[in-house]
Amino acid sequence: MGNPHIGWLAGWMMLIASVVSIAAVALAYQLTLPQISSVFQFVGDGSGPYDKPANAVLLAAVLILFTTLVNAFGVQLMARINTAGVFLELIATVVLIVLLGVNVVRGPDVVLDTAGTGDGQSAGYLGAFLVASLASAYVMYGFDTAASLGEESLDPSRNAPRAIIRAIVASFVLGGLILILALMSVSSLKGDRISTDGLQYVVLDVLGPTAGQAMLWCVLIAVTVCALAVHTAAVRLAFAMARDNNLPGSARLARVSPRFGTPVLPTVIIGVLALAILVVNIRQPQIFTVVTSIGIIMIYVAYLLVTGPMLVARLRGRWKPVEGKFSLGRWGLPVNILAVLWGGP
């Protein structure tokens, strides 16, 4: 759509962002496991300035090792784990919505209550809103990860786009209900833990230790499946770029193991690089925000290198979509414009 240079830059930007994203997703173990049990706080007791970030790196390293082994040993194993994880995640999401719904203590108007956030700041509430928007930006990346694996599905030209649209609608409805009901059911909106521990804290606060911990195990499964999917997508991207001779050592990186049917070398290298990102940031108390924010920014730069040339091609009348079984039709141009506006800021 653009030229070989833009394509090369987009590929590299997306590959680096994917590696950073593996590290960012894996850090979510720290937000879940120590809340299930203090046994999982291996470094200190969690009160020291570096206890949580160091422990986060340790737990994340275990998850990255797991995703590396699964991706190296075969597509079928990865697919089974992913399918089972998503199935459990959907059931747990519906159950959580019901449980939060029967424990509401305030009305839905709480969504519009800023609680004084941003008072005295030059940007007012806008700063808090922009930080919160990182979550939705990261969710959109999850859909792209699913799209990266779409061509490995049955009849992808028909099924993959429709599956992504269903995922967007389901995530909007289910995710929106969880956020609204969490605000309506948590005992207090003013504690420090609600801003640092997020949904995991709300679950324990509303449901209590027994049911709450059961739901946190489901959250853990969701994080594991997410990390696995991101790692898988990164491997597919690295293999595709190596196949086109756009990576150092492309000949080796583009080899598929005759035994496992997977590109083992890219799988291992990506896992090692994700671990290296964590180790570099091991003494950073802001490790969660730093790694996640960098990943999101690079992802959207890569998106713009695709949606931007696509929009230019549409406006110049050079857009020729591939014939298939799915098309946005007349909605293509407005969706493309929204995509550029979404990624640009």
Side-chain angles (χ1 to χ4, degrees):
M1 291 180 294
N3 58 57
H5 303 292
I6 293 178
W8 179 87
L9 181 60
W12 267 96
M13 191 67 68
M14 193 66 186
L15 182 58
I16 296 172
S18 297
V19 175
V20 176
S21 296
I22 297 171
V25 173
L27 286 172
Y29 261 21
Q30 175 63 27
L31 301 176
T32 307
L33 278 173
Q35 295 202 54
I36 293 176
S37 173
S38 59
V39 173
F40 295 108
Q41 181 65 44
F42 299 105
V43 180
D45 57 2
S47 61
Y50 302 114
D51 287 357
K52 290 184 178 180
N55 197 71
V57 171
L58 178 61
L59 295 176
V62 175
L63 177 54
I64 292 174
L65 177 62
F66 170 76
T67 61
T68 301
L69 291 174
V70 170
N71 274 293
F73 284 145
V75 176
Q76 293 299 322
L77 176 60
M78 184 277 296
R80 291 192 186 99
I81 295 175
N82 183 71
T83 301
V86 171
F87 179 72
L88 290 173
E89 184 179 348
L90 286 173
I91 293 177
T93 300
V94 174
V95 172
L96 179 59
I97 289 173
V98 173
L99 292 176
L100 291 176
V102 299
N103 286 282
V104 295
V105 295
R106 59 183 65 84
D109 57 309
V110 66
V111 178
L112 302 177
D113 184 5
T114 65
T117 304
D119 287 350
Q121 303 296 322
S122 57
Y125 185 68
L126 179 62
F129 177 81
L130 291 177
V131 172
S133 69
L134 290 174
S136 59
Y138 214 56
V139 168
M140 293 302 293
Y141 171 61
F143 301 133
D144 177 74
T145 301
S148 300
L149 304 176
E151 63 185 35
E152 297 181 20
S153 63
L154 298 174
D155 194 9
S157 62
R158 178 190 297 274
N159 294 326
R162 287 177 169 80
I164 293 172
I165 290 176
R166 287 196 297 268
I168 292 174
V169 173
S171 296
F172 173 77
V173 174
L174 298 178
L177 285 173
I178 287 178
L179 291 175
I180 294 173
L181 291 173
L183 291 172
M184 293 172 61
S185 59
V186 68
S187 60
S188 174
L189 296 171
K190 297 182 179 180
D192 293 335
R193 291 191 62 190
I194 194 172
S195 60
T196 57
D197 296 337
L199 181 63
Q200 287 88 335
Y201 165 74
V202 175
V203 169
L204 289 175
D205 178 72
V206 175
L207 304 183
T210 303
Q213 288 184 7
M215 295 306 302
L216 288 186
W217 280 111
C218 295
V219 172
L220 194 73
I221 293 173
V223 172
T224 303
V225 172
C226 179
L228 180 60
V230 175
H231 197 148
T232 304
V235 172
R236 300 300 184 269
L237 176 59
F239 173 77
M241 292 181 67
R243 184 182 52 196
D244 294 338
N245 199 32
N246 282 323
L247 293 178
S250 289
R252 292 181 177 273
L253 292 173
R255 291 178 183 173
V256 176
S257 168
R259 179 181 179 185
F260 301 117
T262 59
V264 176
L265 186 57
T267 301
V268 174
I269 291 177
I270 288 172
V272 171
L273 291 176
L275 285 172
I277 292 172
L278 292 174
V279 171
V280 169
N281 291 278
I282 194 170
R283 299 284 289 178
Q284 292 285 346
Q286 302 87 4
I287 184 172
F288 304 97
T289 304
V290 171
V291 176
T292 304
S293 300
I294 291 175
I296 292 173
I297 292 171
M298 296 186 71
I299 287 166
Y300 277 84
V301 171
Y303 288 169
L304 279 174
L305 292 173
V306 176
T307 58
M310 182 187 296
L311 181 58
V312 171
R314 287 181 186 274
L315 296 176
R316 292 180 176 177
R318 294 188 290 104
W319 172 247
K320 296 180 180 180
V322 177
E323 292 186 7
K325 302 172 183 176
F326 178 87
S327 174
L328 289 174
R330 61 183 180 181
W331 290 100
L333 179 59
V335 169
N336 197 161
I337 294 173
L338 287 174
V340 173
L341 294 175
W342 173 266

